[in-house]
Structure formats: C-alpha cells, structure tokens
Amino acid sequence: GAVVSQHPSRVICKSGTSVKIECRSLDFQATTMFWYRQFPKKSLMLMATSNEGSKATYEQGVEKDKFLINHASLTLSTLTVTSAHPEDSSFYICSATPSSGRSGDEQFFGPGTRLTVL
Amino acid sequence: RKEVEQDPGPFNVPEGATVAFNCTYSNSASQSFFWYRQDCRKEPKLLMSVYSSGNEDGRFTAQLNRASQYISLLIRDSKLSDSATYLCVVNGRYSTLTFGKGTMLLVSP
C-alpha cells in the first residue's frame, strides 16, 4: 500500500523559533500533497494544498508567510512554521495523492507531527 | 450550516452491539464520500469509500443519500478494537477533503 512518512514525529521548541516538518511519499509519486492541522478534540482542518513545482494554495485564514510550504520533488513536501508561538502548538498531518490516482480519491496520510511550542 | 456535520458522541456500546453513525454535508456538488477512522493521537486511516448504491465491507456498511445529503455508517457485532473516532469525509474543490469533527465510539466488554 501507499506509505507516507513524516519527520519529526514530535517536536518541542521555544517560542520564536522555526520548525520544519517533512512529508515524504515512500513508494509513490505525489503531484499533490496536503497539510492539515488538528487541535485537541477538533476536526482536521486543511491548511494548504502543496503542488510540486508551483506555489502552494492556502486556505482562508492561513498565513502563507508563517507557514512556508515547499514541494520541490514528487516525493517530498516541507512545512516550515516560522517564528512559532504557543498557539501554533498542534498536530500537523500531511497527506498525499498518488499522481496516477483519480481526483478526490485516496489520500494517504502521514503519521503526523506533534508540535509543542513553549 | 457546517460543511460536514456529525454527532460527536461518544457512543458507548457493549461488545456485539450494532451502532450507526450519521453525517450530513452541505455541498451538493460533492462527488466523493468516505469514512475514515482515527485512533487517539494518530493519523486518520481510510475505513471505506461510500458509493451511491451503498456498500458493505465485512461488519461495516456505508450508505449515501444524495437527495438528503446524508451519509451513514453501520457497524455490526462491535469489537473492542472498533473503539475510535469515525470521521465523515467529503471531497471539496480541487481534490481537497473536508472532514467532519468525528464521532467517538467506545466499545466496552
């Protein structure tokens, strides 16, 4: 089956620092990857759609200068939380759609990254 | 109206019980529907897609009512391992997915 990895799985950092999270599709190519955020007892909220070789599409209310997304290859997307603050503490999850898949189907999720900003 | 709405539960049921979850969605143009399962502090995992004609996978049955914009999931013969949060998911624009908040199921011995 399709496997998506994320690194790191958990990170604790001081307020004001930047944190980079990697999302990799291990056995398939993904033209499109998605970044979600989930606060405790809340639903997954789509932050942005990451397209290989082009700029990410951000959802309303998500600051593109704060959450930098780079999708430099068909198997890797990175999310950088710049100048992180305690309110950015959350569970960040990426997903990927195989390039050969039908639109809207089969998003495979990474295991998530739990970010805690002190 | 929220895009995808679910009863958050929790649903507390004994082993062996049958339990049903419902979900409504607001976008009448949605074409793809899914149930995902999410365990505590883990990523969501696809449980099953939902097709117009309804579909079954073992103890799980999913149904879709487009006219009412309503999706359901039925779990028969509940197992302890079924305890999780069940997420109703609907496709949005440009291949995105919209998640409901989830319905928590607790199966007890």
Side-chain angles (χ1 to χ4, degrees):
Chain A
V3 179
V4 175
S5 71
Q6 271 184 251
H7 178 80
S9 57
R10 191 179 192 97
V11 59
I12 301 172
C13 67
K14 290 183 180 178
S15 186
T17 59
S18 293
V19 175
K20 181 189 276 191
I21 303 170
E22 292 186 349
C23 177
R24 292 182 187 272
S25 55
L26 298 186
D27 51 2
F28 65 97
Q29 292 185 330
T31 308
T32 305
M33 291 184 172
F34 303 89
W35 286 97
Y36 296 85
R37 179 168 54 182
Q38 187 175 33
F39 292 105
K41 298 187 180 181
K42 300 289 185 183
S43 61
L44 267 76
M45 295 300 295
L46 179 65
M47 298 175 67
T49 301
S50 170
N51 301 298
E52 187 267 337
S54 64
K55 291 183 179 179
T57 303
Y58 289 81
E59 295 300 299
Q60 193 172 9
V62 178
E63 298 175 58
K64 62 180 172 61
D65 294 329
K66 181 168 180 66
F67 298 99
L68 301 178
I69 290 172
N70 185 289
H71 193 154
S73 77
L74 287 171
T75 59
L76 173 65
S77 175
T78 60
L79 168 69
T80 301
V81 184
T82 61
S83 187
H85 290 285
E87 58 267 27
D88 298 322
S89 299
S90 187
F91 191 44
Y92 291 85
I93 308 176
C94 73
S95 71
T97 299
S99 298
S100 58
R102 288 175 298 155
S103 172
D105 288 344
E106 294 283 13
Q107 280 191 25
F108 298 92
F109 285 82
T113 297
R114 194 160 298 280
L115 171 64
T116 302
V117 185
L118 303 176
Chain B
R1 185 179 178 183
K2 291 180 183 175
E3 289 190 71
V4 179
E5 203 149 2
Q6 295 179 251
D7 180 345
F11 284 56
N12 289 282
V13 302
E15 266 188 294
T18 296
V19 62
F21 305 138
N22 303 320
C23 165
T24 56
Y25 61 96
S26 62
N27 184 358
S28 59
S30 296
Q31 294 296 319
S32 301
F33 310 90
F34 311 91
W35 283 101
Y36 276 73
R37 170 196 169 126
Q38 187 175 25
D39 292 288
C40 188
R41 303 171 80 85
K42 299 284 186 182
E43 77 277 20
K45 297 196 175 186
L46 180 65
L47 180 66
M48 60 196 301
S49 301
V50 186
Y51 302 118
S52 296
S53 54
N55 48 301
E56 188 173 307
D57 183 1
R59 298 181 293 109
F60 300 86
T61 301
Q63 294 203 310
L64 167 66
N65 184 322
R66 285 188 187 271
S68 302
Q69 294 179 206
Y70 169 98
I71 306 160
S72 66
L73 176 68
L74 182 78
I75 305 176
R76 289 183 298 278
D77 189 22
S78 300
K79 312 290 184 191
L80 294 176
S81 56
D82 293 335
S83 296
T85 296
Y86 290 83
L87 306 172
C88 177
V89 184
V90 175
N91 80 303
R93 55 185 172 81
Y94 309 126
S95 303
T96 62
L97 295 179
T98 302
F99 286 78
K101 278 190 176 181
T103 299
M104 184 182 290
L105 172 65
L106 300 171
V107 182
S108 53

